[in-house]
């Protein structure tokens, strides 16, 4: 006997069944591109948005947009392939290799605490290392413009919290 009423499988089970039925050699299907109802977020748009916020943007030697926020130099990097993706970055060189583990720990903690910002150790050389802070995301031009000040403040706040945490731990060790 068959049950009188057949209930559809829960979405998770349905997904798992489809997953198990796909051969391991299958390549993922490209996501369909939706038609965008907004212009791309290009360098001119971002340059103008920064200027409207009172920053003095410049195009640097790499073709990225650079500007000062207070005394901190920031770069805005746009993805040529994904016009809605941006990366707002600042980097610092630390010439005390004894602090490398301290900065790894502080960067990890800050990355966990801040939602859309990341801190990480960049290049490591013999006598110094680089710590980088970034806010990355996808945004329409309208969202980018309306949140630009927030992105900059978030990045500066994260940078300050990492350096403060490292100073506190360094003074505790003395």
């Amino acid at each position: 006997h068959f049950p009188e009423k057949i209930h559809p499988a829960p979405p998770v089970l349905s997904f798992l069944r489809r997953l198990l039925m796909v051969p391991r050699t299958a390549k993922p299907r490209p996501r369909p591109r939706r038609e965008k109802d907004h212009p791309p977020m290009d360098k001119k748009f971002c340059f103008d948005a920064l200027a409207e916020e009172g920053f003095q943007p410049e195009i640097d030697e790499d073709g990225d947009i650079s500007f000062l926020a207070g005394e901190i130099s920031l770069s805005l990097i746009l993805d040529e392939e994904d016009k809605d993706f941006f990366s707002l970055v600042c980097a610092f060189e630390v010439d005390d290799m004894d602090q490398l583990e301290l900065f790894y720990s502080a960067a990890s903690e800050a990355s966990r605490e801040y939602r859309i910002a990341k801190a990480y150790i960049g290049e490591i050389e013999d006598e110094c290392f680089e710590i980088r802070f970034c806010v990355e995301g996808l945004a329409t031009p309208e969202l980018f413009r309306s949140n630009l000040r927030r992105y900059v403040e978030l990045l500066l706040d994260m940078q300050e919290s990492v350096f403060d945490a490292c100073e506190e731990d360094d003074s505790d060790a003395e």
Side-chain angles (χ1 to χ4, degrees), residues 65-156:
I65 301 172
S66 295
F67 63 99
L68 287 176
E71 296 178 7
I72 308 295
S73 178
L74 303 177
S75 293
L76 179 62
I77 303 165
L78 301 174
D79 191 318
E80 295 297 321
E81 294 177 22
D82 187 345
K83 299 294 187 189
D84 293 335
F85 183 81
F86 72 93
S87 183
L88 184 62
V89 181
C90 65
F92 299 88
E93 189 174 278
V94 179
D95 60 2
D96 184 354
M97 291 303 287
D98 293 337
Q99 290 192 325
L100 181 60
E101 290 303 316
L102 186 59
F103 272 91
Y104 265 122
S105 177
S108 177
E109 181 63 30
S111 293
R112 191 170 46 250
E113 182 181 330
Y114 289 79
R115 290 191 265 190
I116 65 167
K118 295 180 260 185
Y120 60 94
I121 303 300
E123 293 183 30
I124 301 175
E125 298 178 4
D126 291 337
E127 298 174 9
C128 63
F129 62 92
E130 175 187 63
I131 182 151
R132 297 178 66 96
F133 302 92
C134 67
V135 172
E136 297 180 319
L138 295 170
T140 64
E142 294 78 24
L143 280 173
F144 178 81
R145 185 183 307 258
S146 65
N147 288 299
L148 178 56
R149 180 65 61 179
R150 183 177 178 194
Y151 299 146
V152 170
E153 289 171 0
L154 180 66
L155 192 63
L156 297 177

Side-chain angles (χ1 to χ4, degrees), residues 15-67:
F15 169 76
L16 289 174
R17 284 188 189 127
R18 285 195 312 267
L19 183 67
L20 293 173
M21 294 166 62
V22 175
R24 295 247 184 241
T25 57
K27 293 181 182 173
R29 282 186 263 159
R31 291 174 36 187
R33 293 192 57 87
R34 63 180 175 83
E35 288 299 315
K36 301 212 177 359
D37 55 357
H38 60 82
M41 201 166 62
D42 60 10
K43 281 185 189 171
K44 180 177 179 353
F45 172 84
C46 293
F47 193 96
D48 292 345
L50 286 162
E52 287 173 18
E53 283 293 325
F55 298 108
Q56 297 177 339
E58 299 175 355
I59 303 295
D60 66 17
E61 64 274 1
D62 296 327
D64 301 320
I65 301 172
S66 295
F67 63 99

